[in-house]
Amino acid sequence: MMYLGMIFFQIVAPILVLLVLGAILQKKFCFNLKALSQLITYCFMPAAVFVNLYETSVELSVLGEVAIFIVLFIGSQMVLSHFLAKGLGLVKAEAAVFKNSVVLINSGNYGIPVAQMIFVTQPIGVAIQVILVIFQNMTTYTYGLYNLISSTKSGISIVKNFLKMPIIHALIIGVAMNYFNLAVPQFIKIPIDHVADGFIAVALITLGAQLSQLEIKSMFNKTVIISCFTRLILGPAVALLIIYLLGLDGVVAQSLFIASAFPTSRNSSSLALEYDIESATAAQTVLFSTIVSCITVTIVIYLSELLFLS
């Protein structure tokens, strides 16, 4: 129990402090959240992705293991959420938001900061999380968008929007420069490092600011609670089963298990708001899952060290 508390105060509590700080600052100054979100998407996250991939060597065998896990895990969450939505008797719009809340995980401005804190001496753990962010973004702008606007958006436009994302360019450049062992000039490397170092704080403060605008009182309903239970409890349970089936162990298994426990992505709420489809339910789910994840992520981190680092 003491060790569990240590994990909470060393890894989860610092995240909570920054989330609360973001909420307080937002209440006082009313930041332009769209501008902050764009700053993260177009500046901080690409820099963090580039640095992690440029400075970390990931063996092809590990990359293959991660890719297989991701396909199986995301696929299982799609199937699970589909049948749960049917079982709950949700109408089409509610079902779309419910399925997105289970499948779309906050791997970016929640997952990467957590990974950077846990795997500070093991960069491969962060690199795996970066790969997961890429796959999650692909899922968001394909499956997530299809759920909400399949009748109004063409497949080509979805692909174009995805390819415009700077995180994709950072991924390609980082991997290419790592593979060909190309040096980054110091006058470019130093500012990139400075921006990457600021990613954790800016991302979590912005997330706290976004969450501060959601209503807590109306989030206690059946759909939100079942969604969070599926995302935070069943998700890691399914991930653990897949990890054992694939025979994964060590840092790779630990990183994937922890990544499966992160809360619902804020993108699920952003998409619902943008297309005016059950946006209140989507926002409430993001808030509730983020709050509850403070407990569940702590437990999963503890279990991951017991199971894979013994």
Side-chain angles (χ1 to χ4, degrees):
M1 186 62 68
M2 182 182 294
Y3 185 60
L4 198 63
M6 186 174 70
I7 291 174
F8 178 82
F9 285 108
Q10 290 185 357
I11 296 173
V12 178
I15 291 174
L16 279 177
V17 170
L18 289 173
L19 289 177
V20 172
L21 177 61
I24 293 171
L25 290 173
Q26 177 62 22
K27 292 294 185 184
K28 184 172 178 60
F29 298 110
C30 295
F31 295 132
N32 183 332
L33 293 183
K34 185 173 182 180
L36 283 175
S37 180
Q38 290 172 333
L39 188 63
I40 292 170
T41 302
Y42 290 92
C43 184
F44 284 95
M45 188 179 289
V49 167
F50 172 82
V51 169
N52 278 295
L53 291 178
Y54 176 69
E55 296 180 349
T56 304
S57 296
V58 180
E59 297 178 6
L60 284 177
S61 58
V62 173
L63 190 60
E65 291 173 346
V66 173
I68 293 171
F69 169 85
I70 291 171
V71 170
L72 292 175
F73 178 67
I74 292 180
S76 68
Q77 298 304 285
M78 289 178 180
V79 172
L80 180 61
S81 62
H82 173 76
F83 284 106
L84 282 174
K86 274 197 167 184
L88 290 169
L90 302 178
V91 298
K92 191 173 182 180
E94 288 179 326
V97 168
F98 177 85
K99 288 187 281 188
N100 279 357
S101 72
V102 172
V103 175
L104 305 184
I105 304 173
N106 197 344
S107 301
N109 60 350
Y110 188 109
I112 289 181
V114 170
Q116 288 180 326
M117 291 178 186
I118 297 171
F119 302 108
V120 65
T121 60
Q122 297 165 309
I124 188 173
V126 182
I128 289 171
Q129 185 59 45
V130 169
I131 295 168
L132 287 164
V133 170
I134 302 300
F135 274 89
Q136 271 296 314
N137 278 311
M138 288 175 63
T139 306
T140 298
Y141 293 101
T142 52
Y143 174 83
L145 268 178
Y146 177 78
N147 267 340
L148 294 175
I149 53 165
S150 58
S151 61
T152 60
K153 199 85 169 178
S154 70
I156 295 297
S157 63
I158 292 173
V159 171
K160 284 181 179 177
N161 287 336
F162 176 70
L163 292 176
K164 288 178 182 177
M165 294 171 61
I167 192 174
I168 300 300
H169 306 152
L171 167 72
I172 295 169
I173 295 170
V175 169
M177 294 190 73
N178 183 317
Y179 181 78
F180 293 108
N181 198 25
L182 300 175
V184 179
Q186 280 298 99
F187 74 93
I188 294 177
K189 181 70 163 59
I190 291 173
I192 290 177
D193 285 339
H194 286 328
V195 175
D197 289 341
F199 169 71
I200 293 179
V202 175
L204 291 175
I205 288 173
T206 301
L207 181 58
Q210 290 171 324
L211 294 178
S212 72
Q213 297 192 321
L214 306 181
E215 291 206 8
I216 296 179
K217 61 182 180 180
S218 58
M219 70 184 180
F220 296 101
N221 63 69
K222 182 177 67 173
T223 303
V224 170
I225 291 172
I226 293 177
S227 165
C228 291
F229 177 81
T230 308
R231 170 82 300 282
L232 301 174
I233 306 297
L234 294 185
V238 171
L240 189 59
L241 177 62
I242 295 172
I243 287 169
Y244 281 131
L245 287 174
L246 295 177
L248 305 178
D249 58 11
V251 176
V252 174
Q254 185 189 12
S255 179
L256 293 173
F257 184 42
I258 293 171
S260 71
F262 295 141
T264 299
S265 170
R266 64 185 176 84
N267 287 336
S268 64
S269 174
S270 300
L271 285 175
L273 181 61
E274 184 175 350
Y275 297 102
D276 195 24
I277 300 174
E278 294 291 331
S279 58
T281 300
Q284 290 152 13
T285 305
V286 171
L287 177 56
F288 189 61
S289 67
T290 302
I291 293 171
V292 177
S293 72
C294 296
I295 299 171
T296 57
V297 169
T298 301
I299 294 171
V300 168
I301 293 170
Y302 175 66
L303 289 175
S304 73
E305 297 194 359
L306 285 181
L307 295 171
F308 303 117
L309 295 183
S310 56

